[in-house]
Amino acid sequence: MGILSAKLSAVKPSQTKAMTALAASMRAEGKTIITLSQGEPDFKTPDHISRAAIKAIEAGHTKYTAVAGITPLREAIIRKFQRENGLNFTVDQITVGCGAKQLLYNALVASLDEGDEVVFPTPCWVSYPEMVKLAGGVPVAVETDVKDRFIMQPGALRAAITPKTKWLMLNSPSNPTGAVYSRQDLEKLAEVLRDFPDVWVLADDIYEHLVYDETEFYTMVEVAPDLASRTLTVNGVSKSYAMTGWRVGYAGGPSELIKAMNTVQGQSTSHTCSIAQYAAIEALDGDQSFMGGFRDAFKKRRDLVVGMLNNIPGLTCDTPQGAFYVFVGCQELLGSVTPSQQRLETDMDFAMYLLEEAGVAVVPGSGFLADGFVRISYASSEEELKKACVAIGDAVAKLSRAYAG
Ligand SMILES: Cc1ncc(COP(=O)(O)O)c(C=O)c1O
């Protein structure tokens, strides 16, 4: 009998982290690799936020805190939800954890019994199905179509719900597709959910501020306030404030669930770093003007990458409205043969080929439960992105079509 649990043997390690690690090890061997597999902004945390952390250290805020986070941070989160989303919470309805990721996990552990089902649209973030399995649940993937902008359709949601469904997990803007749910998209899903009063909603809004063009961000409870009593709204400072390493995420929802999530956290990590909590107050309450600059830079890079990739025969991608990823179709290239006579059968083969031939690390779509795609993160400098797209184009040009036999 081995040491590992049966539950863990069903859980896959993160492919995004695996790809980034592989690229780092190739770089350590002296190879030039451009990493477009990362899930974090390349910007520095704004100085006023870092200074708040330094001040917190100097003031001696270096001890354990309340499990749910310090009260001034929870109050700042209440103000944020009220100001930006029109949502109203009390302090006992807010909790803070080590990133949005831990809050999603805490919520699942706190609510799932063995065999409970969690529905989510695919392509989805790599961690959703694995977290559900770790918490003893059953992931139920609902495929979305590129022609629907990768938006979950109400009929598909209805068909996926069973008496065992506990949650619908929704991520907008989406990792990996960049899809953003409009008010109407959410209203249609809310209409379905009204027929299933026992199904809860987990709204993962971590990319909230990264929306482009005329696109507006909405979260479920804003659009359907009647679902507030069964929705957990999860957000954090990682992506919008370039604070991935600080590990601060937060959630607002019914106090019974929040209390149970605090029990999970209180018996595992206790709370996130006290210093990072002070920095997060400054992030939420402080000057937000830098964010326009982040958004402008991302939008420019998105347009650059989408333009260059669509000029490569065999690759296709729409212009995503949010986050910092493009989800690129590579189906047409599958079946072709590399200069070393290897046939590309899957998106994983294509991603490995790009790493070896172009020196560009991307993440295969299969990691997001969507075969025939690769995810490219444009959270890199324009110069790097241009170089990467040229190298991808050159590598694709070296492929030859393989015909039957
Ligand atoms: C969809 C989605 N949700 C949540 C997270 C977690 O963010 P964090 O734990 O850094 O707050 C990520 C990070 O990649 C993500 O892509």
Side-chain angles (χ1 to χ4, degrees), residues 115-119 140 158-167 196-199:
D116 282 346
E117 293 175 358
V118 178
V119 172
V140 177
R158 187 178 290 279
I161 294 176
T162 76
K164 291 206 155 190
T165 308
K166 203 114 194 208
W167 290 99
F196 301 96
D198 295 331
V199 177

Side-chain angles (χ1 to χ4, degrees), residues 39 98-102 104 125 128 171 173-175 204 206-207 235-239 244 247-249 325 375:
C98 304
K101 195 173 201 171
Q102 192 192 8
L104 297 170
W125 183 35
Y128 286 174
N171 170 222
S174 152
N175 174 9
D204 178 353
I206 192 75
Y207 295 96
N235 209 323
V237 294
S238 287
K239 317 282 179 174
T244 45
R247 310 309 301 134
V248 183
Y325 310 106
R375 188 195 75 176

Side-chain angles (χ1 to χ4, degrees), residues 48-353:
H48 65 285
I49 299 174
S50 300
R51 277 198 301 274
I54 293 166
K55 253 173 73 186
I57 297 174
E58 286 169 351
H61 295 310
T62 53
K63 310 279 192 204
Y64 289 133
T65 74
V67 169
I70 55 175
T71 303
L73 174 55
R74 282 185 281 162
E75 287 169 347
I77 293 163
I78 289 172
R79 286 191 289 278
K80 178 266 176 254
F81 275 132
Q82 167 53 236
R83 183 178 67 238
E84 297 185 348
N85 313 109
L87 307 188
N88 293 307
F89 291 108
T90 50
V91 173
D92 63 327
Q93 293 176 317
I94 299 288
T95 189
V96 176
C98 304
K101 195 173 201 171
Q102 192 192 8
L103 293 160
L104 297 170
Y105 183 67
N106 289 350
L108 295 171
V109 169
S111 61
L112 293 184
D113 285 315
E114 210 61 36
D116 282 346
E117 293 175 358
V118 178
V119 172
F120 48 83
T122 61
C124 65
W125 183 35
V126 286
S127 293
Y128 286 174
E130 310 310 319
M131 271 186 193
V132 169
K133 286 188 247 169
L134 268 177
V138 178
V140 177
V142 175
E143 246 180 79
T144 64
D145 205 308
V146 63
K147 72 173 167 21
D148 296 321
R149 300 170 289 124
F150 292 115
I151 296 292
M152 183 187 232
Q153 300 301 298
L157 169 61
R158 187 178 290 279
I161 294 176
T162 76
K164 291 206 155 190
T165 308
K166 203 114 194 208
W167 290 99
L168 162 65
M169 284 176 97
L170 261 195
N171 170 222
S172 173
S174 152
N175 174 9
T177 64
V180 182
Y181 282 71
S182 68
R183 178 181 271 283
Q184 291 80 354
D185 293 328
L186 291 175
E187 267 166 3
K188 285 186 209 156
L189 296 182
E191 231 171 274
V192 174
L193 291 166
R194 288 189 186 106
D195 291 338
F196 301 96
D198 295 331
V199 177
W200 283 54
V201 182
L202 227 171
D204 178 353
D205 298 348
I206 192 75
Y207 295 96
E208 168 177 8
H209 293 110
L210 304 177
V211 291
Y212 313 111
D213 308 319
E214 308 305 309
T215 307
E216 282 188 56
F217 170 83
Y218 293 97
T219 192
M220 184 58 97
V221 177
E222 187 179 15
V223 167
D226 57 309
L227 299 186
S229 59
R230 51 176 166 129
T231 298
L232 184 72
T233 305
V234 174
N235 209 323
V237 294
S238 287
K239 317 282 179 174
S240 306
Y241 295 89
M243 291 177 72
T244 45
W246 297 76
R247 310 309 301 134
V248 183
Y250 54 86
S255 54
E256 187 193 4
L257 175 65
I258 296 290
K259 201 169 145 203
M261 289 167 63
N262 289 340
T263 303
V264 174
Q265 183 159 290
Q267 299 294 14
S268 50
T269 56
S270 293
H271 58 78
T272 194
C273 165
S274 59
I275 300 152
Q277 293 187 51
Y278 281 90
I281 296 176
E282 177 60 24
L284 297 177
D285 278 348
D287 177 22
Q288 309 286 308
S289 58
F290 63 89
M291 223 179 268
F294 281 10
R295 253 195 307 266
D296 290 346
F298 277 139
K299 179 177 144 45
K300 229 171 129 198
R301 295 164 178 192
R302 176 200 66 172
D303 293 342
L304 170 81
V305 168
V306 169
M308 288 185 80
L309 291 177
N310 276 326
N311 275 330
I312 301 174
L315 294 183
T316 50
C317 60
D318 288 338
T319 302
Q321 290 308 309
F324 40 69
Y325 310 106
V326 283
F327 206 52
V328 186
C330 60
Q331 295 93 335
E332 282 178 38
L333 297 178
L334 300 185
S336 52
V337 175
T338 70
S340 59
Q341 297 308 306
Q342 273 171 322
R343 197 180 152 99
L344 301 180
E345 305 283 1
T346 63
D347 48 63
M348 180 56 150
D349 295 345
F350 180 56
M352 291 310 293
Y353 174 66

